[in-house]
Structure formats: C-alpha cells, structure tokens
Amino acid sequence: MRDIHSDVENSGTAAEFARRFRDIHSDPKFTRLVTSRNRLVSFLLLVIFAGYFAFLAMVCWYPSMVAMPLYDGAGVTVGVAAELVLFIVFLAISAIYVSFANGKFDALLSSILTQGKGTR
C-alpha cells in the first residue's frame, strides 16, 4: 500500500496538488467509488441498527422472554443467545466491509490514482 504523505511531498507545489485533487474528485470513477461505498455502508449500518434496536425492544417489552432459559435445564438464556447472534452478525458485517474495501474499493481507487498520475 502506498503512503499518501509521500505522494503529497513528491507532487510538487500546492497548486499541483490542488489540480490533482480536482482531477480525481471530478473523475466519474471516483463518483462511482464514493456512491457505492456510501450505499454499502448505509446498508450495513441499517442492519446493525435494526439488530441492535430489535434486541433493545425485546429487552424492554419482553423481559420475561429474554430471561427464559434457551432450553429446559440450560444455563444460557434467550437474551444471552440473542446477543451472541448479534455479535456474530456484527462480526460478519465487519468482514463484509473489509472484503469490499480491500477488493473492489482499493482496486478502483488504485485505478483512479494511476489514471491521475498519467495526466500529469
């Protein structure tokens, strides 16, 4: 992975840096990158909020259900099991985002930066 600070230091003047910034910002690939990243983040955030608030609603409105054992004789309650499921879902969401960021988003950003260097 490249160090962006060395790119800035090697780019020359502030005017050159500003021109490169405008070129990258106006690139349709950059717009597509930002749009798809924001869409993915919004969807994943919606899933996180829905899961978290569903769990809170269950705790607030059905505390007796949350306190029930998962099965007869179990030491684990429904609430603990639900929280464990939420933890696993949140971990999976993090893995999904990292997968997209390291795969699709980094490749697109690299092509944008490479194209920007070619126009110097």
Side-chain angles (χ1 to χ4, degrees):
M1 182 176 243
R2 291 195 336 247
D3 181 19
I4 194 158
H5 299 293
S6 65
D7 286 348
V8 172
E9 291 169 2
N10 295 333
S11 67
T13 65
E16 174 68 20
F17 179 73
R19 186 192 64 74
R20 286 187 58 214
F21 181 80
R22 277 193 310 274
D23 290 346
I24 290 171
H25 196 271
S26 64
D27 190 340
K29 286 183 184 178
F30 181 75
T31 305
R32 188 175 61 211
L33 169 70
V34 170
T35 302
S36 61
R37 183 188 119 352
N38 288 345
R39 197 172 331 151
L40 176 66
V41 167
S42 297
F43 174 73
L44 295 177
L45 193 60
L46 181 68
V47 171
I48 288 171
F49 281 157
Y52 182 72
F53 285 115
F55 179 74
L56 283 180
M58 190 172 74
V59 169
C60 290
W61 290 314
Y62 304 105
S64 60
M65 185 179 83
V66 174
M68 285 184 349
L70 197 56
Y71 56 88
D72 288 335
V76 176
T77 64
V78 170
V80 171
E83 188 58 37
L84 181 61
V85 168
L86 277 179
F87 179 77
I88 292 169
V89 167
F90 295 163
L91 188 64
I93 285 173
S94 297
I96 289 168
Y97 180 77
V98 168
S99 172
F100 270 89
N102 289 343
K104 180 181 176 185
F105 298 150
D106 280 354
L108 190 54
L109 182 60
S110 179
S111 77
I112 292 168
L113 292 176
T114 303
Q115 179 184 359
K117 281 191 179 280
T119 61
R120 277 171 92 174

mmCIF file of all heavy atoms in Angstrom, residues 58-100:
data_model
loop_
_atom_site.group_PDB
_atom_site.id
_atom_site.type_symbol
_atom_site.label_atom_id
_atom_site.label_comp_id
_atom_site.label_asym_id
_atom_site.label_seq_id
_atom_site.Cartn_x
_atom_site.Cartn_y
_atom_site.Cartn_z
ATOM 1 N N MET A 58 -36.732 -6.081 22.464
ATOM 2 C CA MET A 58 -37.028 -7.355 23.103
ATOM 3 C C MET A 58 -36.745 -7.274 24.608
ATOM 4 O O MET A 58 -37.541 -7.750 25.421
ATOM 5 C CB MET A 58 -36.178 -8.459 22.459
ATOM 6 C CG MET A 58 -36.553 -9.854 22.875
ATOM 7 S SD MET A 58 -35.672 -11.121 21.930
ATOM 8 C CE MET A 58 -34.040 -11.015 22.624
ATOM 9 N N VAL A 59 -35.650 -6.639 24.976
ATOM 10 C CA VAL A 59 -35.318 -6.496 26.396
ATOM 11 C C VAL A 59 -36.336 -5.598 27.104
ATOM 12 O O VAL A 59 -36.764 -5.884 28.223
ATOM 13 C CB VAL A 59 -33.879 -5.944 26.564
ATOM 14 C CG1 VAL A 59 -33.607 -5.527 27.996
ATOM 15 C CG2 VAL A 59 -32.864 -6.971 26.102
ATOM 16 N N CYS A 60 -36.752 -4.513 26.466
ATOM 17 C CA CYS A 60 -37.675 -3.571 27.098
ATOM 18 C C CYS A 60 -39.097 -4.118 27.205
ATOM 19 O O CYS A 60 -39.751 -3.952 28.229
ATOM 20 C CB CYS A 60 -37.710 -2.265 26.313
ATOM 21 S SG CYS A 60 -36.208 -1.310 26.456
ATOM 22 N N TRP A 61 -39.606 -4.719 26.126
ATOM 23 C CA TRP A 61 -41.011 -5.097 26.091
ATOM 24 C C TRP A 61 -41.288 -6.552 26.466
ATOM 25 O O TRP A 61 -42.403 -6.896 26.804
ATOM 26 C CB TRP A 61 -41.601 -4.791 24.714
ATOM 27 C CG TRP A 61 -41.725 -3.315 24.493
ATOM 28 C CD1 TRP A 61 -42.225 -2.396 25.350
ATOM 29 C CD2 TRP A 61 -41.319 -2.590 23.343
ATOM 30 N NE1 TRP A 61 -42.158 -1.143 24.806
ATOM 31 C CE2 TRP A 61 -41.611 -1.227 23.561
ATOM 32 C CE3 TRP A 61 -40.721 -2.949 22.125
ATOM 33 C CZ2 TRP A 61 -41.352 -0.238 22.642
ATOM 34 C CZ3 TRP A 61 -40.479 -1.952 21.205
ATOM 35 C CH2 TRP A 61 -40.779 -0.618 21.459
ATOM 36 N N TYR A 62 -40.283 -7.400 26.363
ATOM 37 C CA TYR A 62 -40.477 -8.815 26.696
ATOM 38 C C TYR A 62 -39.349 -9.322 27.599
ATOM 39 O O TYR A 62 -38.652 -10.273 27.256
ATOM 40 C CB TYR A 62 -40.532 -9.668 25.421
ATOM 41 C CG TYR A 62 -41.588 -9.221 24.449
ATOM 42 C CD1 TYR A 62 -41.248 -8.533 23.292
ATOM 43 C CD2 TYR A 62 -42.930 -9.488 24.704
ATOM 44 C CE1 TYR A 62 -42.219 -8.118 22.408
ATOM 45 C CE2 TYR A 62 -43.908 -9.074 23.812
ATOM 46 C CZ TYR A 62 -43.550 -8.386 22.674
ATOM 47 O OH TYR A 62 -44.520 -7.974 21.800
ATOM 48 N N PRO A 63 -39.162 -8.710 28.770
ATOM 49 C CA PRO A 63 -38.044 -9.120 29.633
ATOM 50 C C PRO A 63 -38.166 -10.561 30.121
ATOM 51 O O PRO A 63 -37.154 -11.228 30.329
ATOM 52 C CB PRO A 63 -38.084 -8.126 30.791
ATOM 53 C CG PRO A 63 -39.438 -7.538 30.776
ATOM 54 C CD PRO A 63 -39.912 -7.615 29.362
ATOM 55 N N SER A 64 -39.388 -11.028 30.288
ATOM 56 C CA SER A 64 -39.542 -12.413 30.748
ATOM 57 C C SER A 64 -39.082 -13.398 29.676
ATOM 58 O O SER A 64 -38.533 -14.459 29.992
ATOM 59 C CB SER A 64 -40.995 -12.693 31.149
ATOM 60 O OG SER A 64 -41.857 -12.480 30.039
ATOM 61 N N MET A 65 -39.284 -13.049 28.407
ATOM 62 C CA MET A 65 -38.820 -13.921 27.322
ATOM 63 C C MET A 65 -37.288 -13.925 27.256
ATOM 64 O O MET A 65 -36.664 -14.954 27.030
ATOM 65 C CB MET A 65 -39.388 -13.471 25.981
ATOM 66 C CG MET A 65 -39.045 -14.411 24.840
ATOM 67 S SD MET A 65 -39.732 -13.918 23.271
ATOM 68 C CE MET A 65 -38.525 -12.730 22.738
ATOM 69 N N VAL A 66 -36.691 -12.759 27.472
ATOM 70 C CA VAL A 66 -35.230 -12.645 27.435
ATOM 71 C C VAL A 66 -34.599 -13.465 28.560
ATOM 72 O O VAL A 66 -33.534 -14.050 28.390
ATOM 73 C CB VAL A 66 -34.808 -11.158 27.527
ATOM 74 C CG1 VAL A 66 -33.314 -11.023 27.641
ATOM 75 C CG2 VAL A 66 -35.318 -10.391 26.332
ATOM 76 N N ALA A 67 -35.286 -13.523 29.689
ATOM 77 C CA ALA A 67 -34.751 -14.232 30.853
ATOM 78 C C ALA A 67 -35.019 -15.738 30.826
ATOM 79 O O ALA A 67 -34.479 -16.464 31.656
ATOM 80 C CB ALA A 67 -35.340 -13.630 32.116
ATOM 81 N N MET A 68 -35.815 -16.206 29.871
ATOM 82 C CA MET A 68 -36.108 -17.648 29.787
ATOM 83 C C MET A 68 -34.858 -18.424 29.407
ATOM 84 O O MET A 68 -34.045 -17.949 28.606
ATOM 85 C CB MET A 68 -37.182 -17.925 28.717
ATOM 86 C CG MET A 68 -38.557 -17.557 29.118
ATOM 87 S SD MET A 68 -39.850 -17.986 27.899
ATOM 88 C CE MET A 68 -39.048 -18.457 26.433
ATOM 89 N N PRO A 69 -34.719 -19.639 29.955
ATOM 90 C CA PRO A 69 -33.602 -20.476 29.502
ATOM 91 C C PRO A 69 -33.781 -20.856 28.033
ATOM 92 O O PRO A 69 -34.909 -20.963 27.550
ATOM 93 C CB PRO A 69 -33.682 -21.711 30.392
ATOM 94 C CG PRO A 69 -34.741 -21.470 31.384
ATOM 95 C CD PRO A 69 -35.494 -20.247 31.002
ATOM 96 N N LEU A 70 -32.698 -21.040 27.353
ATOM 97 C CA LEU A 70 -32.742 -21.368 25.930
ATOM 98 C C LEU A 70 -33.471 -22.694 25.697
ATOM 99 O O LEU A 70 -34.224 -22.827 24.738
ATOM 100 C CB LEU A 70 -31.320 -21.426 25.369
ATOM 101 C CG LEU A 70 -31.155 -21.361 23.866
ATOM 102 C CD1 LEU A 70 -31.814 -20.129 23.287
ATOM 103 C CD2 LEU A 70 -29.684 -21.375 23.495
ATOM 104 N N TYR A 71 -33.266 -23.646 26.571
ATOM 105 C CA TYR A 71 -33.998 -24.915 26.576
ATOM 106 C C TYR A 71 -34.041 -25.394 28.024
ATOM 107 O O TYR A 71 -33.348 -24.850 28.882
ATOM 108 C CB TYR A 71 -33.355 -25.948 25.635
ATOM 109 C CG TYR A 71 -31.903 -26.228 25.903
ATOM 110 C CD1 TYR A 71 -31.521 -27.207 26.813
ATOM 111 C CD2 TYR A 71 -30.901 -25.511 25.255
ATOM 112 C CE1 TYR A 71 -30.185 -27.448 27.079
ATOM 113 C CE2 TYR A 71 -29.561 -25.752 25.515
ATOM 114 C CZ TYR A 71 -29.212 -26.719 26.429
ATOM 115 O OH TYR A 71 -27.892 -26.963 26.696
ATOM 116 N N ASP A 72 -34.860 -26.383 28.309
ATOM 117 C CA ASP A 72 -35.014 -26.868 29.681
ATOM 118 C C ASP A 72 -33.671 -27.314 30.252
ATOM 119 O O ASP A 72 -32.960 -28.110 29.650
ATOM 120 C CB ASP A 72 -36.002 -28.037 29.746
ATOM 121 C CG ASP A 72 -37.435 -27.585 29.525
ATOM 122 O OD1 ASP A 72 -37.713 -26.402 29.791
ATOM 123 O OD2 ASP A 72 -38.260 -28.413 29.084
ATOM 124 N N GLY A 73 -33.332 -26.748 31.393
ATOM 125 C CA GLY A 73 -32.099 -27.115 32.075
ATOM 126 C C GLY A 73 -30.875 -26.356 31.595
ATOM 127 O O GLY A 73 -29.766 -26.597 32.066
ATOM 128 N N ALA A 74 -31.034 -25.442 30.647
ATOM 129 C CA ALA A 74 -29.890 -24.684 30.118
ATOM 130 C C ALA A 74 -29.524 -23.556 31.067
ATOM 131 O O ALA A 74 -30.374 -22.961 31.721
ATOM 132 C CB ALA A 74 -30.217 -24.112 28.751
ATOM 133 N N GLY A 75 -28.262 -23.268 31.154
ATOM 134 C CA GLY A 75 -27.791 -22.139 31.940
ATOM 135 C C GLY A 75 -27.727 -20.867 31.119
ATOM 136 O O GLY A 75 -27.443 -19.798 31.634
ATOM 137 N N VAL A 76 -27.985 -20.969 29.840
ATOM 138 C CA VAL A 76 -27.930 -19.831 28.924
ATOM 139 C C VAL A 76 -29.358 -19.371 28.646
ATOM 140 O O VAL A 76 -30.237 -20.173 28.348
ATOM 141 C CB VAL A 76 -27.226 -20.224 27.601
ATOM 142 C CG1 VAL A 76 -27.241 -19.081 26.617
ATOM 143 C CG2 VAL A 76 -25.816 -20.684 27.873
ATOM 144 N N THR A 77 -29.571 -18.065 28.729
ATOM 145 C CA THR A 77 -30.904 -17.520 28.478
ATOM 146 C C THR A 77 -31.068 -17.128 27.012
ATOM 147 O O THR A 77 -30.080 -17.042 26.260
ATOM 148 C CB THR A 77 -31.156 -16.286 29.358
ATOM 149 O OG1 THR A 77 -30.231 -15.268 28.979
ATOM 150 C CG2 THR A 77 -31.009 -16.617 30.832
ATOM 151 N N VAL A 78 -32.303 -16.861 26.643
ATOM 152 C CA VAL A 78 -32.604 -16.411 25.275
ATOM 153 C C VAL A 78 -31.881 -15.086 24.998
ATOM 154 O O VAL A 78 -31.360 -14.873 23.890
ATOM 155 C CB VAL A 78 -34.136 -16.267 25.084
ATOM 156 C CG1 VAL A 78 -34.461 -15.587 23.770
ATOM 157 C CG2 VAL A 78 -34.818 -17.621 25.175
ATOM 158 N N GLY A 79 -31.827 -14.214 25.987
ATOM 159 C CA GLY A 79 -31.154 -12.923 25.809
ATOM 160 C C GLY A 79 -29.673 -13.066 25.534
ATOM 161 O O GLY A 79 -29.126 -12.381 24.664
ATOM 162 N N VAL A 80 -29.013 -13.950 26.247
ATOM 163 C CA VAL A 80 -27.581 -14.177 26.018
ATOM 164 C C VAL A 80 -27.365 -14.770 24.623
ATOM 165 O O VAL A 80 -26.440 -14.365 23.890
ATOM 166 C CB VAL A 80 -26.984 -15.082 27.119
ATOM 167 C CG1 VAL A 80 -25.574 -15.503 26.768
ATOM 168 C CG2 VAL A 80 -27.019 -14.384 28.454
ATOM 169 N N ALA A 81 -28.219 -15.710 24.237
ATOM 170 C CA ALA A 81 -28.094 -16.307 22.906
ATOM 171 C C ALA A 81 -28.346 -15.268 21.810
ATOM 172 O O ALA A 81 -27.636 -15.237 20.793
ATOM 173 C CB ALA A 81 -29.067 -17.475 22.762
ATOM 174 N N ALA A 82 -29.343 -14.403 22.025
ATOM 175 C CA ALA A 82 -29.631 -13.349 21.041
ATOM 176 C C ALA A 82 -28.457 -12.386 20.924
ATOM 177 O O ALA A 82 -28.088 -11.977 19.813
ATOM 178 C CB ALA A 82 -30.899 -12.603 21.434
ATOM 179 N N GLU A 83 -27.848 -12.039 22.034
ATOM 180 C CA GLU A 83 -26.690 -11.143 21.994
ATOM 181 C C GLU A 83 -25.501 -11.804 21.307
ATOM 182 O O GLU A 83 -24.753 -11.152 20.571
ATOM 183 C CB GLU A 83 -26.311 -10.692 23.396
ATOM 184 C CG GLU A 83 -25.270 -9.621 23.438
ATOM 185 C CD GLU A 83 -25.652 -8.356 22.689
ATOM 186 O OE1 GLU A 83 -26.828 -7.971 22.717
ATOM 187 O OE2 GLU A 83 -24.757 -7.759 22.067
ATOM 188 N N LEU A 84 -25.326 -13.094 21.510
ATOM 189 C CA LEU A 84 -24.267 -13.822 20.815
ATOM 190 C C LEU A 84 -24.499 -13.819 19.301
ATOM 191 O O LEU A 84 -23.561 -13.617 18.520
ATOM 192 C CB LEU A 84 -24.173 -15.259 21.332
ATOM 193 C CG LEU A 84 -23.091 -16.129 20.719
ATOM 194 C CD1 LEU A 84 -21.709 -15.533 20.984
ATOM 195 C CD2 LEU A 84 -23.164 -17.538 21.265
ATOM 196 N N VAL A 85 -25.753 -14.002 18.900
ATOM 197 C CA VAL A 85 -26.089 -13.942 17.468
ATOM 198 C C VAL A 85 -25.789 -12.551 16.924
ATOM 199 O O VAL A 85 -25.217 -12.414 15.830
ATOM 200 C CB VAL A 85 -27.564 -14.337 17.233
ATOM 201 C CG1 VAL A 85 -28.013 -14.000 15.824
ATOM 202 C CG2 VAL A 85 -27.772 -15.814 17.509
ATOM 203 N N LEU A 86 -26.158 -11.516 17.670
ATOM 204 C CA LEU A 86 -25.850 -10.150 17.230
ATOM 205 C C LEU A 86 -24.348 -9.934 17.095
ATOM 206 O O LEU A 86 -23.888 -9.312 16.133
ATOM 207 C CB LEU A 86 -26.413 -9.129 18.213
ATOM 208 C CG LEU A 86 -27.872 -8.767 18.056
ATOM 209 C CD1 LEU A 86 -28.281 -7.759 19.117
ATOM 210 C CD2 LEU A 86 -28.158 -8.225 16.684
ATOM 211 N N PHE A 87 -23.581 -10.440 18.028
ATOM 212 C CA PHE A 87 -22.134 -10.308 17.963
ATOM 213 C C PHE A 87 -21.591 -10.956 16.689
ATOM 214 O O PHE A 87 -20.755 -10.379 15.988
ATOM 215 C CB PHE A 87 -21.485 -10.939 19.200
ATOM 216 C CG PHE A 87 -19.997 -10.874 19.193
ATOM 217 C CD1 PHE A 87 -19.340 -9.697 19.502
ATOM 218 C CD2 PHE A 87 -19.247 -11.987 18.854
ATOM 219 C CE1 PHE A 87 -17.952 -9.632 19.480
ATOM 220 C CE2 PHE A 87 -17.867 -11.931 18.834
ATOM 221 C CZ PHE A 87 -17.217 -10.757 19.148
ATOM 222 N N ILE A 88 -22.093 -12.144 16.373
ATOM 223 C CA ILE A 88 -21.641 -12.845 15.168
ATOM 224 C C ILE A 88 -22.058 -12.089 13.912
ATOM 225 O O ILE A 88 -21.281 -11.966 12.957
ATOM 226 C CB ILE A 88 -22.157 -14.295 15.175
ATOM 227 C CG1 ILE A 88 -21.464 -15.077 16.295
ATOM 228 C CG2 ILE A 88 -21.956 -14.973 13.829
ATOM 229 C CD1 ILE A 88 -22.070 -16.428 16.582
ATOM 230 N N VAL A 89 -23.284 -11.548 13.904
ATOM 231 C CA VAL A 89 -23.748 -10.767 12.753
ATOM 232 C C VAL A 89 -22.885 -9.519 12.575
ATOM 233 O O VAL A 89 -22.486 -9.188 11.456
ATOM 234 C CB VAL A 89 -25.242 -10.402 12.913
ATOM 235 C CG1 VAL A 89 -25.667 -9.344 11.906
ATOM 236 C CG2 VAL A 89 -26.112 -11.637 12.772
ATOM 237 N N PHE A 90 -22.580 -8.832 13.673
ATOM 238 C CA PHE A 90 -21.754 -7.627 13.586
ATOM 239 C C PHE A 90 -20.336 -7.957 13.126
ATOM 240 O O PHE A 90 -19.726 -7.203 12.365
ATOM 241 C CB PHE A 90 -21.729 -6.887 14.915
ATOM 242 C CG PHE A 90 -23.063 -6.336 15.347
ATOM 243 C CD1 PHE A 90 -23.265 -5.958 16.650
ATOM 244 C CD2 PHE A 90 -24.119 -6.202 14.459
ATOM 245 C CE1 PHE A 90 -24.489 -5.444 17.063
ATOM 246 C CE2 PHE A 90 -25.348 -5.698 14.855
ATOM 247 C CZ PHE A 90 -25.534 -5.319 16.164
ATOM 248 N N LEU A 91 -19.816 -9.081 13.558
ATOM 249 C CA LEU A 91 -18.504 -9.530 13.098
ATOM 250 C C LEU A 91 -18.535 -9.832 11.598
ATOM 251 O O LEU A 91 -17.612 -9.456 10.857
ATOM 252 C CB LEU A 91 -18.071 -10.764 13.891
ATOM 253 C CG LEU A 91 -16.654 -11.257 13.680
ATOM 254 C CD1 LEU A 91 -15.662 -10.206 14.158
ATOM 255 C CD2 LEU A 91 -16.442 -12.557 14.433
ATOM 256 N N ALA A 92 -19.611 -10.470 11.146
ATOM 257 C CA ALA A 92 -19.758 -10.767 9.713
ATOM 258 C C ALA A 92 -19.875 -9.485 8.898
ATOM 259 O O ALA A 92 -19.301 -9.380 7.800
ATOM 260 C CB ALA A 92 -20.974 -11.653 9.486
ATOM 261 N N ILE A 93 -20.576 -8.498 9.431
ATOM 262 C CA ILE A 93 -20.707 -7.211 8.732
ATOM 263 C C ILE A 93 -19.338 -6.549 8.593
ATOM 264 O O ILE A 93 -19.007 -6.000 7.536
ATOM 265 C CB ILE A 93 -21.716 -6.308 9.465
ATOM 266 C CG1 ILE A 93 -23.130 -6.802 9.178
ATOM 267 C CG2 ILE A 93 -21.559 -4.850 9.067
ATOM 268 C CD1 ILE A 93 -24.205 -6.110 9.960
ATOM 269 N N SER A 94 -18.538 -6.615 9.640
ATOM 270 C CA SER A 94 -17.183 -6.059 9.559
ATOM 271 C C SER A 94 -16.363 -6.780 8.495
ATOM 272 O O SER A 94 -15.646 -6.147 7.711
ATOM 273 C CB SER A 94 -16.477 -6.179 10.913
ATOM 274 O OG SER A 94 -17.140 -5.436 11.880
ATOM 275 N N ALA A 95 -16.486 -8.094 8.441
ATOM 276 C CA ALA A 95 -15.753 -8.877 7.439
ATOM 277 C C ALA A 95 -16.226 -8.542 6.024
ATOM 278 O O ALA A 95 -15.415 -8.447 5.099
ATOM 279 C CB ALA A 95 -15.923 -10.367 7.715
ATOM 280 N N ILE A 96 -17.518 -8.340 5.866
ATOM 281 C CA ILE A 96 -18.056 -7.972 4.550
ATOM 282 C C ILE A 96 -17.487 -6.631 4.110
ATOM 283 O O ILE A 96 -17.038 -6.477 2.969
ATOM 284 C CB ILE A 96 -19.602 -7.940 4.586
ATOM 285 C CG1 ILE A 96 -20.159 -9.349 4.699
ATOM 286 C CG2 ILE A 96 -20.166 -7.227 3.358
ATOM 287 C CD1 ILE A 96 -21.639 -9.405 5.030
ATOM 288 N N TYR A 97 -17.482 -5.648 5.006
ATOM 289 C CA TYR A 97 -16.961 -4.339 4.634
ATOM 290 C C TYR A 97 -15.470 -4.414 4.300
ATOM 291 O O TYR A 97 -15.030 -3.834 3.303
ATOM 292 C CB TYR A 97 -17.191 -3.293 5.732
ATOM 293 C CG TYR A 97 -16.645 -1.964 5.300
ATOM 294 C CD1 TYR A 97 -17.350 -1.178 4.393
ATOM 295 C CD2 TYR A 97 -15.395 -1.529 5.706
ATOM 296 C CE1 TYR A 97 -16.833 0.007 3.930
ATOM 297 C CE2 TYR A 97 -14.873 -0.344 5.251
ATOM 298 C CZ TYR A 97 -15.596 0.426 4.369
ATOM 299 O OH TYR A 97 -15.059 1.593 3.897
ATOM 300 N N VAL A 98 -14.709 -5.107 5.110
ATOM 301 C CA VAL A 98 -13.270 -5.224 4.847
ATOM 302 C C VAL A 98 -13.023 -5.918 3.516
ATOM 303 O O VAL A 98 -12.136 -5.532 2.749
ATOM 304 C CB VAL A 98 -12.562 -5.950 6.011
ATOM 305 C CG1 VAL A 98 -11.151 -6.347 5.645
ATOM 306 C CG2 VAL A 98 -12.561 -5.082 7.249
ATOM 307 N N SER A 99 -13.817 -6.935 3.226
ATOM 308 C CA SER A 99 -13.684 -7.640 1.956
ATOM 309 C C SER A 99 -13.925 -6.706 0.774
ATOM 310 O O SER A 99 -13.162 -6.694 -0.191
ATOM 311 C CB SER A 99 -14.663 -8.812 1.923
ATOM 312 O OG SER A 99 -14.699 -9.394 0.660
ATOM 313 N N PHE A 100 -14.998 -5.911 0.854
ATOM 314 C CA PHE A 100 -15.268 -4.957 -0.227
ATOM 315 C C PHE A 100 -14.194 -3.877 -0.288
ATOM 316 O O PHE A 100 -13.762 -3.491 -1.379
ATOM 317 C CB PHE A 100 -16.639 -4.311 -0.030
ATOM 318 C CG PHE A 100 -17.756 -5.053 -0.682
ATOM 319 C CD1 PHE A 100 -18.431 -6.050 -0.014
ATOM 320 C CD2 PHE A 100 -18.135 -4.762 -1.979
ATOM 321 C CE1 PHE A 100 -19.457 -6.744 -0.595
ATOM 322 C CE2 PHE A 100 -19.167 -5.444 -2.588
ATOM 323 C CZ PHE A 100 -19.832 -6.441 -1.900
#
